[in-house]
Amino acid sequence: MNPFKLYGLFRRAVDAVVAKVFERLMTLLDLVLLPLQRLVGIKRMAYFFIAPNMLIFGIFILLPMMLNFYYGFTSGQSILLQNRDYVGTDNLDKLLSCKDYSDPNSCDEDLFWRGVQNTTQYVVAQVGTMVVLALIAALALNQKIMLRGFFRSVFFYPVLLSPVVVALIWKWFLRYDNGLLNALLVSAGHDRVQFLADPNWARFWVIVVADWAQMGFYTLILLAGLQSIPAVLYEAAEMDGANSWQRFQHVTLPLLMPTMTVVLVLAFIRAVQVFDQVFVLTNGGPGTATLYIVQYIYRQAFVESPSQYGLAAAASLVLALVLLVLTLAQLFFSRRSEAV
Amino acid sequence: MKKFRSVLMILVIAALVLPLTALHAQETVNLRILWYNDGNEGDVLRDLLDRFEADHPNIKVTIDVVAYADLHNILQTQVEAGGDSAPDMARVTDTARFRDFYLDLTPYLPDADYWTASFAEPVLNSFRKGADDTGLYGFPTQFTITGPFINRTLFEQAGVDVPSDVMDEPTWADWEAAATEVAQVTGVPYAIAIDRSGHRIWGPALSNGAHSLNDDGSIMVDSPGLRKTLQMITDWHTNNITPLGVWVESGGEYASARPDFVNGQLVMYMSGSWQISGFSSDIGTSFDWDAVPNPYGEGGSTGIPGGAVLAAMKTTAHPEETAMVMDYLVQEDVLGEFSARTLFIPGHVGLAAKGVDYVTDDPNVTQALQTFLAEVPKLTPEAYGLQYSPIGFTFNTELRDRLGQVIVGELTLDEAIAKVQEAVDAAYQQVYGGS
């Protein structure tokens, strides 16, 4: 017998068995679900169906959040709640106590404020540069250029890499000793540069690496936004004598704003949470030049001795508040753009 | 009928034997040790435990090896959670942190006096909660001493005298000058380096005349000796004679200059005796390396003692068996073999006095071990005090991280010292409850 025919017969037989099993399973489920539906009513069945998800969410997200909230108001070395002392807002007071907020050294928790200062600088610079670069890339990839599909893949490829892999690749590239970039500089007759040992260079490269790793994702979103702009609008603008800059300014940019808003808010939230990539690339150094808030929290809880679980939890509450504001802003802007 | 009888017989035998097997299985006590490795000590311990298990078939000991960086956090979670996840024994370096979780082995030991006679009082006290506590909770798996290593081959190639060969009491300045000259002549990138660790700074600081530890256990950070040492390390960076990868590129954690030394890129490396085994295997015959005495200063010449301890944890469900394992491991012949094969300096007083017949044919190892053994009598009381202080770990990490900030210009030395003082004061208050 023809092997393809045999395979077809086999597949049909397997399909039939699977369908039968599935049907029996559904019948069995009906035995439970039908009486339940009669008991609670069809509208309330939705709660039953989302219950498993809510259970997982409750155990792995809501409960830790609540525990963290409580930890933020306690002190001590123990990780068990019953062994921790309730200290009210002491941890928050310590975090926020500062003589001059522009000078972290004058703060009780100077590293927290260095983290805040570094994170603010990072968010502004990283989100700003990345959105501009992603927009330029999206505009370029929206043109009818040669190898368009290839270039789209190239821009998206770093997004598929793990942040740790990205950081390790760049670390090998940027190291003072045996770094590829410094080796190239030396072979070209230049002195080595302390790319990861000089605070300003380190801040610069942390942003470059983040842009490189994440840009493809936002480029894709912006590209989808660009492709949703009707071509007739460009044709009409062209017939009215608009040049390419004017078409970009008066057609592309306004119609891309809803997508841009989403991109900005998403990138903003992600930038505030920066940790893994920088942890591997610079570990917060040199000094504390690239110490961001999440790493400050990590250090307080898991590196310092004695561990400052309460302080770390309080800092994460502050961070959660910032992220909540950003998420609400995202909701507000996306609803407003939907209304438009 | 015959077949039926055979089957019946098998069933009867099975019915008799199976419960016995189950009983035997129930009697087997499984113990776990949370462990980390610097070198080959995990393998040596396994060998020793295999022999113990052969003599005690009802006890099985499993070694759970974790990375040193995660060791204390893992142990903290395990002992607080308790239950099956908690180890019966653990090898730790931050002894004070787990004082609430140690098991007093005294009631289970056949000869508790042997323990008190075999280990130094400060080490045994490091497990204890206060002056009234006389419990026996664990023992040092090894004794370590901080001190410098040099690449002797580079000195010879450069034609520069090794300061300790030609001077009675060479200072850090003498060593720095010599190492810098060697690096310049040989073209090696780095002259001198020290691990990114506060613990490693204490030795040079005390030798430079620092005094930090007060009688009440509190720490006074600021002293001319400490300032001189911190400034010296900062200047190494300013003068570009030390690898940036250690203090600057490594962020906020411990980092070692070991790879630079092993790869022949570094002339002088301030670390400690625990490196010996690794140097022997990694450097091999590539170059001659020596351990040299700690440099001299106004405070003399001292390293810092240290080492890891193996402690019994009170979360164990099998205190008697745990005590049996611990008591086996502290016996002079067992601990002697452990030290001989791991190239560790023993923390056992009797063994240290007798000497250990180390298993090595590497002359560099023999020289290094002799040098470090000669450093033991030079250790100052404050060196012991700092190492076994309950707030020593805080002092260590704060000193390390704040010096890192000084090196890159984020803090002045004054600001750094003030920040370290704040941290150790807070830790003191937490531990002693005083001001």
Side-chain angles (χ1 to χ4, degrees), chain B residues 144-228:
Chain B
T144 60
I145 305 168
T146 59
F149 295 91
I150 57 159
N151 183 327
R152 186 170 279 275
T153 302
L154 287 176
F155 272 90
E156 285 165 4
Q157 284 173 354
V160 175
D161 289 331
V162 173
S164 56
D165 291 352
V166 292
M167 299 163 83
D168 287 337
E169 296 185 350
T171 63
W172 273 103
D174 296 325
W175 277 106
E176 185 185 318
T180 307
E181 193 184 342
V182 171
Q184 278 167 356
V185 174
T186 56
V188 162
Y190 302 114
I192 199 161
I194 183 168
D195 287 333
R196 194 179 194 280
S197 155
H199 178 259
R200 235 62 90 235
I201 296 170
W202 291 345
L206 292 179
S207 300
N208 279 329
H211 287 294
S212 295
L213 197 60
N214 300 322
D215 291 341
D216 62 355
S218 63
I219 285 173
M220 177 57 72
V221 177
D222 199 2
S223 71
L226 183 72
R227 277 178 180 269
K228 187 178 175 183

Side-chain angles (χ1 to χ4, degrees), chain A residues 148-159:
Chain A
R148 190 166 64 166
F150 169 76
F151 284 119
R152 283 180 183 177
S153 307
V154 166
F155 274 96
F156 193 72
Y157 176 69
V159 179

Side-chain angles (χ1 to χ4, degrees), chain A residues 78-79 110 177 288 302 305, chain B residues 73 80 94 190 394 402 410:
Chain A
S78 177
I79 55 167
D110 61 319
D177 295 314
T288 56
F302 304 113
S305 179
Chain B
N73 283 326
E80 291 215 49
D94 189 357
Y190 302 114
T394 305
R402 296 306 183 179
E410 281 178 6

